[in-house]
Structure formats: C-alpha cells, structure tokens
Amino acid sequence: MTSEELLTLLAAVGHTQRLRIVGELARGRVHVSELARRLGLSRPLLYMHLERLEKAGLVAGSLELSADGKAMKFFELAPFDIHLTVDTVLAALREDELQAAGAERAAGKKGNPS
C-alpha cells in the first residue's frame, strides 16, 4: 500500500456519513434508493460517498436488471480490516520509495538505447 492508497482509505472512513453507510451495509447488500431512504440522503450525495468508499476498496457495487428490465445498483461491504500503526505508515512510505525508484529506472532505460 502506498501513502496515497493509505490516505484514500483514511479519508474514506474519516466522515460521519460514510461511517453510517458502512453501518447500514453491515446489515447486508442493499439497493441505492433503499440505502438513501434509510440514511436520509439524496442519491447524488450518497453516490459521492459510495464512490469514495468503493475507491478505497471498502464497498463493492453491482448493476442488476429487475424483472421489468430496469437497471438497479446494489452495494455491499467488501471484506476489510483496517490497522493503522507506525509500521503501516512506514511501509506505505517505503512502497512510495520503491515505486519512485522503479519509475526512475524505467525512465533511464527509455533514455538510454542499448
């Protein structure tokens, strides 16, 4: 996990509404309209929060067709276990350094034809 991925995860859980969404989804998979009703949120606002949670890998969405042919979006929790320690932060920073070094090597190979 890079520091960017770690920050995405922390930002996703760092909001009251997103924690409420996780709480509702812990009860089981649900259609977006039903989730919006339960939480008292507009669907556009709910989708914004769900997008953040999905980007962080905490929820998963899927489209399904209803019996009458309507596309319906359902969301459910993805399995996750968050542990934030000094080691987690240090590992993310090391991953950043490894990726930066790899990018530099790749750039060097492009600039030096053999």
Side-chain angles (χ1 to χ4, degrees), residues 9 14 30 63-64 73 90 94 96:
L9 177 62
V30 66
L63 275 176
E64 296 181 16
K73 185 86 177 209
L90 294 175
R94 279 193 301 273
D96 289 350

Side-chain angles (χ1 to χ4, degrees), residues 106-113:
K109 287 181 183 177
K110 290 180 185 174
N112 292 328

Side-chain angles (χ1 to χ4, degrees), residues 5-16 18 52-53 56 58:
E5 292 164 336
L6 177 59
L7 290 170
T8 297
L9 177 62
L10 294 174
V13 296
H15 192 282
T16 302
R18 289 192 280 276
R52 289 261 178 105
L53 290 165
L58 302 176

Side-chain angles (χ1 to χ4, degrees), residues 34-105:
E34 175 62 22
L35 186 58
R37 276 191 291 278
R38 289 182 191 175
L39 296 169
L41 296 174
S42 68
R43 285 193 325 196
L45 182 59
L46 177 58
Y47 270 114
M48 186 269 306
H49 289 303
L50 287 167
E51 184 179 305
R52 289 261 178 105
L53 290 165
E54 196 167 28
K55 184 177 180 188
L58 302 176
V59 303
S62 60
L63 275 176
E64 296 181 16
L65 289 179
S66 66
D68 63 357
K70 280 173 89 175
M72 300 178 68
K73 185 86 177 209
F74 286 85
F75 279 89
E76 62 187 334
L77 284 181
F80 67 87
D81 186 14
I82 300 171
H83 292 276
L84 181 62
T85 64
V86 171
D87 290 337
T88 306
V89 173
L90 294 175
L93 293 172
R94 279 193 301 273
E95 183 63 27
D96 289 350
E97 290 171 0
L98 288 171
Q99 287 188 8
E104 286 177 16
R105 280 193 302 276

